[in-house]
Amino acid sequence: MSGASPLALVASCVRRVAGILDGEALSARQEKLRAAVAARVPEPGRERVTEFLGELVRAPFPDEGRPTLRQARQHAPLLADEIRRAFEELVAGASAQRPLVIVAEDVHWADAPSLSYLDGALRRLPQRPLFVLALARPEVHSISPQLWAERHVLEMRLRGLRAVAAAVLVRAALGADVRDSVAGRLVEQADGNAFYLEEMVRAVAEGLTAAPPDTVIATVQVRLGALPSPARAVLRAASVFGEVFWQGSVEALLGADAATVPTWLAHLVARDILVSHEDARFPGEREYAFRHALLRDETDALLTDDDRAVGHRLAAAWLEAAGETDAAVLAGHYDRGREPETAARWWLAAAEQAFERDDLDAALDLAHRAATLDPSALTGSRRRSPRAAPSSRGRGVAGARGGPCVGLPLRRRPRDADLHGALRGLLEP
């Protein structure tokens, strides 16, 4: 869902470097950002970099006494240029100290502005020990043709396992005495797909099936079907959030059955269906992920349409209370949760976030989603953003948990009226 949010990828990088968690107090986010920049960026310019990275990671600083920041907030293109410059200076400072690796996962889902930022850093710092490792599915070439083509890209296509290597893995897992016919069929059906091979080996080793299923989907379904009912309920609740979720989020969806969630999460980690992350996006939460996207997709397929809609509504409420700062994520959940008016307001908030990043194409697309769900979303009477909608302006309002958070702006910048007027004009038939 965050793929619709401009700069989601690079903002995630900066938040991770600074140790910033969603839902933290604004002052805590600001202090963490200050420390991260101070450790990497030399004077002069350290304060300016901190201020504009604050715009990127939703840790905004007041603009009183900061004329450059105040002026940039009045002009979206200028603000976008300053944020890009701050990101490049952070990368420059970090790579001047030691070799720097930036790992970008699932680039086929990444937002275009983030890819442009990484391209700019590579262009600006050709002699620095800077390495970008981008992992993507083959469709990245149709989504982003010629991605970083001018940066001496080295593309490594991962091929399937050779039959000899696959046979070694089968015998290592099932024992040297496994029948040749069984090992041969596993290797043949996997056809070099490591995940498929591993899932089929597990199914055979656990005695779930006498012979390997014909497809990887069938293999996954066999494994999921063999789980205890409470474990499947935990997985179904988790799948609503996507590949990554949190213990508290599952407990919120399961309600009365929440007490056993930690036990079943540990069980699913032991069965290699889930993995536990050392770090979590939200303070005080345990973060987990499905070991493979196919496991999540097949679990989600077990939900009825009505249960899925209820799940997304509860997921949106939990994320909003936890401090989710990405309006597009909340809009996506409310949209799937069949709450069109609420989804429309969040899509409009996402459009405002895109406009702040000077990504007009994304802003128009997001505003179009809002207008499609609720034609009155762009009118003056319905233009107010949802409660606690993230903004880079103003000092915010109290969050859903009572602590300070980035919230509705206390002042709207002068160009906001122009933005909404332009969106209305462009979206009218």
Side-chain angles (χ1 to χ4, degrees):
M1 295 182 184
S2 63
S5 302
L7 302 182
L9 189 151
V10 294
S12 175
C13 287
V14 176
R15 281 198 300 267
R16 178 174 289 272
V17 165
I20 293 174
L21 305 179
D22 288 345
E24 285 184 313
L26 176 59
S27 59
R29 297 199 299 276
Q30 291 172 337
E31 288 306 310
K32 287 183 176 181
L33 183 59
R34 283 186 186 279
V37 172
R40 294 166 177 83
V41 177
E43 292 284 9
R46 183 179 293 168
E47 185 65 21
R48 175 182 51 78
V49 170
T50 302
E51 292 169 5
F52 285 103
L53 288 181
E55 302 293 291
L56 176 65
V57 300
R58 306 293 173 188
F61 291 86
D63 55 22
E64 288 79 8
R66 295 181 170 93
T68 303
L69 179 61
R70 171 171 290 186
Q71 182 181 13
R73 283 177 174 169
Q74 308 303 315
H75 305 282
L78 178 59
L79 180 62
D81 289 343
E82 291 288 356
I83 294 174
R84 176 190 286 268
R85 179 184 173 193
F87 175 77
E88 291 181 355
E89 291 189 27
L90 177 67
V91 173
S95 60
Q97 297 174 351
R98 60 181 64 89
L100 175 65
V101 178
I102 299 176
V103 182
E105 295 190 80
D106 293 327
V107 169
H108 48 279
W109 288 327
D111 61 281
S114 285
L115 299 181
S116 175
Y117 270 42
L118 294 178
D119 181 77
L122 291 168
R123 181 183 65 253
R124 177 181 172 181
L125 306 168
Q127 303 303 320
R128 291 288 178 84
L130 171 62
F131 179 62
V132 175
L133 173 62
L135 309 175
R137 296 176 183 174
E139 56 261 35
V140 71
H141 290 297
S142 59
I143 298 172
S144 302
Q146 301 299 311
L147 179 62
W148 304 326
E150 298 179 4
R151 309 294 160 236
H152 307 292
V153 172
L154 173 62
E155 181 177 340
M156 300 177 64
R157 291 178 178 265
L158 297 184
R159 299 179 178 177
L161 291 173
R162 292 182 301 149
V164 172
V168 170
L169 290 176
V170 169
R171 295 190 181 280
L174 298 181
D177 58 345
V178 63
R179 295 198 307 273
D180 290 341
S181 59
V182 174
R185 183 175 177 185
L186 288 170
V187 171
E188 180 181 358
Q189 289 187 208
D191 192 27
N193 187 310
F195 173 71
Y196 187 10
L197 180 66
E198 185 176 359
E199 288 300 307
M200 289 194 300
V201 167
R202 290 182 186 279
V204 173
E206 296 173 7
L208 302 179
T209 178
D214 293 332
T215 66
V216 64
I217 292 178
T219 305
V220 169
Q221 290 172 342
V222 167
R223 287 199 68 205
L224 294 176
L227 292 171
S229 178
R232 292 199 302 273
V234 167
L235 287 177
R236 287 196 296 272
S239 71
V240 173
F241 290 85
E243 290 185 39
V244 178
F245 61 94
W246 303 266
Q247 178 178 315
S249 67
V250 174
E251 291 171 344
L253 266 64
L254 292 183
D257 298 324
T260 62
V261 166
T263 300
W264 289 114
L265 286 173
H267 175 79
L268 292 164
V269 169
R271 295 288 296 274
D272 281 334
I273 293 174
L274 301 178
V275 294
S276 177
H277 289 171
E278 293 183 4
D279 302 318
R281 279 185 56 210
F282 301 111
E285 282 292 338
R286 290 288 305 276
E287 185 172 293
Y288 296 86
F290 285 87
R291 190 171 62 85
H292 194 279
L294 189 57
L295 289 167
R296 182 265 168 189
D297 293 344
E298 289 305 307
T299 302
D300 182 71
L302 300 175
L303 291 166
T304 66
D305 289 343
D306 288 342
D307 285 345
R308 185 178 293 106
V310 171
H312 280 293
R313 288 199 295 273
L314 293 173
W318 187 88
L319 287 168
E320 191 175 347
E324 175 62 64
T325 59
D326 194 330
V329 170
L330 295 171
H333 280 295
Y334 280 119
D335 201 344
R336 290 166 172 80
R338 302 174 185 170
E339 291 196 4
E341 291 187 357
T342 304
R345 294 196 297 275
W346 279 110
W347 283 128
L348 186 56
E352 292 176 345
Q353 290 182 348
F355 183 72
E356 289 176 353
R357 302 290 189 250
D358 197 31
D359 190 341
L360 185 57
D361 289 340
L364 290 172
D365 177 67
L366 294 165
H368 185 269
R369 299 188 195 188
T372 300
L373 291 173
D374 182 5
S376 64
L378 293 177
T379 65
S381 60
R382 298 293 301 279
R383 187 157 56 87
R384 186 174 180 270
S385 300
R387 179 180 59 82
S391 172
S392 63
R393 305 174 305 281
R395 291 169 291 178
V397 295
R401 289 183 173 175
C405 71
V406 185
L408 289 173
L410 300 181
R411 299 180 308 279
R412 303 190 71 89
R413 68 166 180 262
R415 287 196 60 184
D416 276 356
D418 296 336
L419 164 67
H420 289 276
L423 292 176
R424 285 197 300 272
L426 287 168
L427 293 174
E428 287 176 356

